[in-house]
Amino acid sequence: MSRGSGGGYDRHITIFSPEGRLFQVEYAFKAVKASGITSIGVRGKDSVCVVTQKKVPDKLLDQTSVTHLFPITKFLGLLATGMTADARTLVQQARNEAAEFRFRYGYEMPVDVLARWIADKSQVYTQHAYMRPLGVVAMILGIDDENGPRLFKCDPAGHFFGHKATSAGLKEQEAINFLEKKMKNDPAFSYDETVQTAISALQSVLQEDFKPNEIEVGVVRTDSPAFRVLSTEEIDEHLTAISERD
Amino acid sequence: MGDSQYSFSLTTFSPSGKLVQIEHALTAVGSGQTSLGIKAANGVVIATEKKLPSILVDEASVQKIQVLTPNIGVVYSGMGPDSRVLVRKSRKQAEQYHRLYKESIPVTQLVRETAAVMQEFTQSGSGRPMLGWLQTILDFNGNCGVRPFGVSLLVAGFDDNGPQLYQVDPSGSYFSWKASAMGKNVSNAKTFLEKRYTDDMELDDAVHTAILTLKEGYMHLKLLFF
């Protein structure tokens, strides 16, 4: 009796398929796209900005409770693209881990350490059959004491990389193509340029102009390293600047 | 492994006596980026391709070659996330050895312990078949169904026995090599290494050969498609 691929279980739990693939991990990536949201992150010279769509499916819903942007600590933000329930679990665990880190070691958890921790946890779900991978791609942003503004992206497979700019969700590939062109000559964006690049990338890829309450924007800046979600007024200013520029 | 009478590992023997999950793991390794190692007379070199998915990725944040101890390093081919687990466990084992013996761990010992971890993941776990579905449960010790690691490692080190190079596979078997390659294009790389390798190579020659071998694989691919 041959279990595993012979028994066809390679699609149900994270064991190898005959081609050496992990179908459950690949399906998790599909789940991220199925949420229908696209997110973008851009790192500038002294700031990082993340933008995502805010789709409120029902007018009766309290808009303020619909969010994909979560502060993990005062200085670290997390943008979760994909299944909201999985995102909340991840955020809860990340908040706990960051707080314990601060308590244990006496200094704030750096961005890459948190990203590595999230990625390592995701890897465990790809290897142990009792839990499925989370259907979430997490973008983590913060200002590092030694390396300045940092943007990391962690995926269900357990990969994590630092990025100059990146995207996740439904139109991920189109957005990355757009951003590659913009970042080709290693530009050093100012804070306003960073935010406007991120927002205009999203607008271009989704081919629609946003109203301020249709997107969520989160930033960290070297001169104000606390993670902050922009208000609708500030978003409106940037949207106006973008439309005037074009 | 569980208490239940019907507790199985997810890696089980096929009727022909093969462990197919390990074979699939090796396939995953074979589709990973090429890496190689060469043992010279006075040192060891390990090298790997570092092709990133986009120019937007911050190249400085990615490090495929990792340090296990000040005199032992490792490179992998296959699934990056799995390699991080092994690097972490190996570093801890090296540290525990040092704590106990007040000496740095010899290369062979570290390789052996790392290989033992990889072997564990091919045998442990409690997958329990029930009504046609594979039900995985946690046994008393918190062990559950696990899959083998999707990486092969090349461990390079220098200790009292001189320079050493070991390759560890997902099955947990390991061999000492004079020169070896893993991942994509492995047969071309090994042919190239066989031609170029000499027992009295110096480290600089070895580094040069390593780079040439990687380039060879890259150029060969380009010729195939253009």
Side-chain angles (χ1 to χ4, degrees), chain A residues 120 123 126 129 158 162 164 180, chain B residues 56 58 82 84 88 145 147:
Chain A
D120 285 346
Q123 190 280 339
T126 73
K164 300 170 198 165
E180 275 179 1
Chain B
L56 297 173
D58 187 352
D82 286 10
R84 288 203 308 270
R88 174 167 278 142
R147 61 163 174 81

Side-chain angles (χ1 to χ4, degrees), chain A residues 116-134:
Chain A
R116 182 184 302 266
W117 182 83
I118 291 177
D120 285 346
K121 219 165 196 307
S122 306
Q123 190 280 339
V124 171
Y125 300 148
T126 73
Q127 195 169 22
H128 294 251
Y130 72 113
M131 287 196 68
R132 61 165 175 81
L134 293 177

Side-chain angles (χ1 to χ4, degrees), chain A residues 19-228:
Chain A
E19 304 86 43
R21 293 156 68 181
L22 294 173
F23 282 117
Q24 275 294 298
V25 174
E26 297 183 15
Y27 297 159
F29 276 96
K30 294 211 171 113
V32 172
K33 288 205 186 295
S35 70
I37 305 267
T38 307
S39 311
I40 302 221
V42 177
R43 184 185 82 188
K45 191 176 53 182
D46 52 15
S47 60
V48 187
C49 173
V50 291
V51 177
T52 187
Q53 292 172 267
K54 188 168 175 166
K55 277 192 181 167
V56 184
D58 192 334
K59 283 214 190 73
L60 294 173
L61 273 175
D62 181 356
Q63 285 185 349
T64 55
S65 72
V66 176
T67 179
H68 295 90
L69 267 178
F70 303 96
I72 304 295
T73 66
K74 189 165 164 215
F75 303 102
L76 294 177
L78 191 151
L79 171 60
T81 313
M83 298 167 70
T84 23
D86 286 8
R88 286 189 191 274
T89 315
L90 181 63
V91 164
Q92 195 61 22
Q93 291 171 349
R95 283 174 174 164
N96 192 51
E97 187 61 27
E100 277 186 18
F101 186 100
R102 174 67 184 80
F103 177 73
R104 225 183 278 145
Y105 301 112
Y107 70 102
E108 292 292 333
M109 195 172 199
V111 197
D112 58 326
V113 176
L114 178 63
R116 182 184 302 266
W117 182 83
I118 291 177
D120 285 346
K121 219 165 196 307
S122 306
Q123 190 280 339
V124 171
Y125 300 148
T126 73
Q127 195 169 22
H128 294 251
Y130 72 113
M131 287 196 68
R132 61 165 175 81
L134 293 177
V136 180
V137 166
M139 281 192 225
I140 302 144
L141 62 160
I143 306 290
D144 187 277
D145 282 338
E146 292 167 15
N147 300 318
R150 303 267 260 174
L151 171 67
F152 279 86
K153 184 168 81 168
C154 311
D155 62 26
H159 288 115
F160 81 106
F161 293 121
H163 287 269
K164 300 170 198 165
T166 189
S167 168
L170 188 56
K171 300 271 179 191
E172 175 179 342
Q173 198 46 55
E174 292 91 327
I176 288 186
N177 295 339
F178 181 94
L179 291 166
E180 275 179 1
K181 285 193 215 115
K182 285 260 170 170
M183 311 283 287
K184 211 167 26 174
N185 305 315
D186 247 337
F189 287 139
S190 70
Y191 167 67
D192 286 323
E193 284 172 331
T194 309
V195 177
Q196 282 163 27
T197 305
I199 298 178
S200 58
L202 197 59
Q203 289 190 144
S204 157
V205 153
L206 297 173
Q207 301 198 313
E208 62 178 276
D209 284 328
F210 293 120
K211 295 203 217 36
N213 61 349
E214 288 173 346
I215 54 173
E216 283 186 281
V217 184
V219 297
V220 284
R221 306 174 63 168
T222 338
D223 48 1
S224 124
F227 171 71
R228 210 163 59 81

Side-chain angles (χ1 to χ4, degrees), chain B residues 129-207:
Chain B
M130 182 152 122
L131 298 175
W133 279 90
L134 186 63
Q135 184 183 40
T136 51
I137 54 167
L138 288 164
D139 66 12
F140 274 8
N141 300 321
N143 292 323
C144 60
V146 289
R147 61 163 174 81
F149 284 95
V151 283
S152 281
L153 301 175
L154 272 174
V155 182
F158 202 114
D159 60 14
D160 292 337
N161 295 325
Q164 289 162 81
L165 177 68
Y166 284 90
Q167 178 173 337
V168 195
D169 282 336
S171 57
S173 56
Y174 61 94
F175 298 101
S176 175
W177 290 83
K178 298 178 191 174
S180 181
M182 331 182 288
K184 283 196 277 252
N185 256 317
V186 66
S187 47
N188 285 329
K190 281 198 172 172
T191 319
F192 192 82
L193 286 171
E194 271 172 35
K195 273 192 260 187
R196 292 270 179 145
Y197 184 82
T198 59
D199 282 318
D200 55 359
M201 257 176 137
E202 294 274 305
L203 191 56
D204 289 330
D205 289 329
V207 172

